[in-house]
Amino acid sequence: MSTRGEPMSAEPAEPAEPAEPAEAAEAAKAAEPAARPGAGGAVASRRVIVAWLLSVTRPVLPPLLASAACRILDHLAGVGLFALAAHAVVSCALELADGRQPGALWPTVLTMVALSLLKAALRYGEQFLGHLVAFTSLELLRAQIFSALAPRAPRVTVTSRSGDLLARATKDVDRIEVFFAHTFAPAVCAATVPPAVLVVIGASVSWWAAGAGALTLALAILAVPAAGWGAALASSRRRAAARARLTQHVTDSVQGLAEVVGYGRSAERLAQTARLDREVAAAGAPAALAASLRRGGIQLLVLAGPVAVVAAGADAVRAGTAGVAALAAAAAAVLRMSETVRGVEDFTAALGDSFAAAERVHEVVTAPVELPDGTMALAPAPAHELVWEQVTYTYPGASRPALEGVSLRARTGRWTSLVGASGSGKTTLAQLALRFDDPSSGRVLVDGADLRDLSADSLRSEIALVTQRSHLFRATVAQNLRLGAPEADDLELEEACRVACVHEEVLAMEDGYRTVVGERGATVSGGQRQRLALARALLMRPSVLVLDEFTSHLDPALEARVRESVRRWAAVGRGQGRPVTVVEVTHRLHDIAGSDHVVVLDEGRVVQEGAPAELLVVETGPLRRLLARES
Ligand SMILES: Nc1ncnc2c1ncn2[C@@H]1O[C@H](COP(=O)(O)OP(=O)(O)OP(=O)(O)O)[C@@H](O)[C@H]1O
């Protein structure tokens, strides 16, 4: 429990400079590209990232190509407009200077109007198709993230920070939009429009003028954007990691709002948020500086381009092989290609962020599945036997095992209670039965089959887990109940709620079973949430029910009612005349009298087990010590 005066998180209270070791370690951990399974493996090379992003766009390749084609034609139309205008103006000026009446301008004006309309349509087409590609690709990316997380669930929730995963699935994915919407088409355009225009200039005006234009454009498109790219990418990576820490902190603060306010820590949390905000800004400063320098350099080259074209093409005019108006049109065309250059500059400035985000998402998508699904299906049965055989388990990153050499048996159709002091390993043992993770050594068996060999789907359709903190979604009561049994009808819903002793309370809610429970079940009481979670599990008609402190929020009278009701339900089970297997984790020792078998755990080991009647008469020993502590 946090007490006044101590900071609540690993992040220190203000002042934060210099960073404390704990904070530095935390920051380094967050900056690590692939700390845990939620993150993944090592950072992939840029080529791999680009290939992966392009592979994501495969289903949207036609609109992507169409968008690039629209941009190319749009830019060519822009160049044509500028060249036409420059040609017309200089021709008129020359004719006036010679004392002649300028020729009719309306064909030029009409052509320019037509080009402008075409340009507008092409621009709209490029934007529309580009964003269609981007949003479809982002949708595909999010689907990739969730399908990558699904086989790692629920382990990923044990080993990864939810705020970090949230940042990867939302903000990082959004940042990749730049790659899809603003990179491919500008890059293709920059690679095609200038060469095409320069060839026309070379053939119709002067190859020297074309060469001068090519030099300035090549420097503006290739050399300057590449300068400082490595440093900018490193800065973007640091900023992405800093943003993830900020998201983690804000998520934590919002989820723990009651504690933050209740313990008077609002100012401290705000100060920590402000510090993390400053870290984000500081991490991104080098990238911003590089972007400003690039912009200045490109601007200079873009303006130098027409001057260089005129200087290099002057000889052709003097030699009479090119006209002044044509040279002016060439200079205007090169000036107009600043739009093409700007496209490259824009995506270069944002690409660092986009790449850093893509790397973080790629880590999630390509992280190895640490719990490969088994191929055998667990055959449905009225009940199953669970066996933990010499199980040792250490949480990722933990220095000592939570369980050490635990062997125990939860017999078919019996009620087994796991008791022990806080931290003795009861929950870990229960979670291993649903394969939240694999034991570091030893095996967990269902009816003799190793969980590693069984498919997760078949396992989870037979075994249901009710925890003390079961999650309710922001959905109706009925939708929450149907999570594991979508086909259950209303009568079955009501029956499950009756067994969980919550039916009357649901009926009393504003819209009964259609009442929307707030995010994380915020609009129902802790006890109601527990009983709804119990009803949800019962609705699945499991043959093994794992109950982890499932009555911890209930008052003694209600708890006794619920327990009695669940015992009656368990005795009938799936209605095949045989009781289901129940494994219960409990602190409440007065409950164990109704169990068939009691296992006492201490510091990750089994220290006593037997029928309650045998254990309760023993005058000394672990259970007696626990009972003494309780009274
Ligand atoms: N995600 C985790 N990462 C690292 N260590 C963990 C994690 N979850 C639990 N532990 C540690 O594993 C040990 C066993 O925890 P477990 O939750 O299984 O105990 P428990 O007997 O169920 O405790 P309680 O009765 O308080 O719920 C404890 O030392 C705990 O600190």
Side-chain angles (χ1 to χ4, degrees):
M1 190 172 81
S2 178
T3 53
R4 279 177 197 273
E6 284 176 68
M8 285 192 300
S9 72
E11 294 116 4
E14 291 278 279
E17 306 290 344
E20 288 179 9
E23 180 202 2
E26 174 71 8
K29 206 169 151 199
E32 274 173 21
R36 290 297 332 145
V43 176
S45 75
R46 215 170 298 165
R47 204 151 42 86
V48 170
I49 297 282
V50 171
W52 165 63
L53 289 175
L54 288 178
S55 75
V56 174
T57 59
R58 205 164 294 141
V60 284
L61 205 56
L64 183 64
L65 294 177
S67 152
C70 283
R71 187 177 178 100
I72 291 170
L73 294 174
D74 169 29
H75 281 226
L76 285 175
V79 168
L81 266 175
F82 254 56
L84 261 182
H87 193 277
V89 168
V90 172
S91 298
C92 276
L94 288 174
E95 281 163 349
L96 287 172
D98 283 353
R100 285 180 282 140
Q101 183 63 26
L105 281 176
W106 62 265
T108 308
V109 172
L110 276 186
T111 312
M112 287 177 70
V113 169
L115 273 178
S116 301
L117 290 174
L118 179 68
K119 191 169 158 38
L122 289 166
R123 173 129 183 95
Y124 177 79
E126 185 225 329
Q127 294 287 313
F128 176 80
L129 292 167
H131 285 97
L132 176 76
V133 168
F135 292 124
T136 314
S137 304
L138 297 189
E139 208 177 302
L140 293 169
L141 266 187
R142 288 212 173 87
Q144 275 202 12
I145 290 191
F146 286 107
S147 18
L149 288 180
R152 295 184 194 103
R155 178 181 156 87
V156 74
T157 57
V158 177
T159 54
S160 302
R161 285 162 296 169
S162 60
D164 182 57
L165 275 180
L166 191 69
R168 289 176 198 247
T170 55
K171 293 207 170 113
D172 285 339
V173 168
D174 283 343
R175 246 165 236 129
I176 302 176
E177 192 242 3
V178 171
F179 179 86
F180 295 124
H182 307 293
T183 303
F184 180 76
V188 172
C189 186
T192 50
V193 170
V197 173
L198 290 168
V199 165
V200 173
I201 292 176
S204 60
V205 182
S206 141
W207 288 106
W208 284 108
L215 184 67
T216 53
L217 285 170
L219 285 173
I221 291 175
L222 299 174
V224 177
W229 164 254
L233 181 59
S235 159
S236 294
R237 281 189 189 131
R238 284 195 298 277
R239 184 160 54 177
R243 273 205 200 102
R245 288 199 294 279
L246 179 63
T247 309
Q248 170 72 39
H249 185 79
V250 172
T251 310
D252 214 19
S253 299
V254 171
Q255 287 177 353
L257 201 57
E259 284 77 9
V260 169
V261 175
Y263 286 90
R265 295 303 176 104
S266 309
E268 181 193 297
R269 293 298 288 192
L270 279 176
Q272 288 168 346
T273 307
R275 184 173 50 72
L276 289 169
D277 250 328
R278 285 197 298 277
E279 276 179 25
V280 173
L289 179 65
S292 310
L293 291 175
R294 271 201 307 266
R295 178 166 286 253
I298 288 172
Q299 205 77 36
L300 184 68
L301 286 164
V302 159
L303 293 175
V307 178
V309 167
V310 170
D315 278 350
V317 174
R318 274 194 289 271
T321 53
V324 177
L327 184 61
V334 169
L335 182 63
R336 181 57 191 166
M337 279 190 284
S338 62
E339 194 188 353
T340 311
V341 174
R342 206 169 40 242
V344 176
E345 184 205 344
D346 285 348
F347 80 69
T348 317
L351 206 56
D353 270 357
S354 196
F355 254 94
E359 282 169 355
R360 288 165 47 77
V361 174
H362 186 256
E363 283 161 17
V364 176
V365 170
T366 56
V369 177
E370 298 190 6
L371 299 180
D373 206 7
T375 49
M376 271 165 55
L378 177 62
H384 299 281
E385 180 182 69
L386 280 177
V387 172
W388 290 259
E389 195 179 86
Q390 283 300 312
V391 168
T392 294
Y393 179 74
T394 307
Y395 279 98
S399 54
R400 58 187 205 88
L403 297 173
E404 263 187 291
V406 171
S407 292
L408 68 97
R409 185 179 298 268
R411 292 185 190 279
T412 311
R414 303 290 169 84
W415 191 298
T416 302
S417 293
L418 307 180
V419 300
S422 184
S424 56
K426 306 179 294 294
T427 294
T428 309
L429 209 50
Q431 288 180 340
L432 290 181
L434 275 109
R435 207 173 172 219
F436 271 41
D437 205 351
D438 286 334
S440 317
S441 66
R443 301 190 298 166
V444 183
L445 308 165
V446 187
D447 291 347
D450 192 323
L451 291 195
R452 294 181 182 93
D453 299 328
L454 295 173
S455 76
D457 280 352
S458 71
L459 184 70
R460 289 174 195 149
S461 61
E462 289 292 291
I463 307 183
L465 169 72
V466 183
T467 70
Q468 50 180 313
R469 283 178 305 195
S470 293
H471 186 93
L472 291 185
F473 291 89
R474 198 187 176 289
T476 64
V477 170
Q479 284 165 338
N480 269 291
L481 290 170
R482 288 200 172 99
L483 195 66
E487 70 296 337
D489 62 30
D490 290 353
L491 282 178
E492 289 171 304
L493 244 61
E494 288 179 17
E495 184 47 36
C497 285
R498 279 204 183 88
V499 177
C501 305
V502 71
H503 173 65
E504 304 297 331
E505 283 160 74
V506 173
L507 286 187
M509 290 177 188
E510 203 174 327
D511 289 318
Y513 280 85
R514 292 192 177 165
T515 308
V516 173
V517 290
E519 207 169 317
R520 293 154 59 82
T523 57
V524 292
S525 75
Q528 284 169 337
R529 186 164 55 203
Q530 274 190 333
R531 281 171 293 146
L532 287 172
L534 173 64
R536 179 165 67 190
L538 299 179
L539 199 60
M540 279 176 60
R541 301 169 64 77
S543 50
V544 179
L545 187 59
V546 181
L547 304 168
D548 187 354
E549 304 282 359
F550 77 117
T551 55
S552 60
H553 288 286
L554 309 184
D555 63 62
L558 183 54
E559 187 205 348
R561 215 152 58 82
V562 173
R563 183 172 292 283
E564 186 46 40
S565 175
V566 173
R567 279 195 200 284
R568 277 200 305 272
W569 175 89
V572 177
R574 286 181 159 179
Q576 295 171 11
R578 288 180 54 191
V580 303
T581 308
V582 178
V583 177
E584 185 190 3
V585 169
T586 184
H587 271 124
R588 304 191 180 187
L589 298 178
H590 60 267
D591 302 334
I592 61 173
S595 305
D596 298 305
H597 191 70
V598 176
V599 179
V600 186
L601 287 157
D602 188 31
E603 298 196 349
R605 294 171 188 273
V606 174
V607 288
Q608 197 178 16
E609 64 178 312
E614 291 164 16
L615 298 188
L616 289 169
V617 293
V618 178
E619 290 297 322
T620 56
L623 185 63
R624 187 54 57 191
R625 278 197 295 278
L626 284 175
L627 283 165
R629 211 188 293 174
E630 201 184 43
S631 54

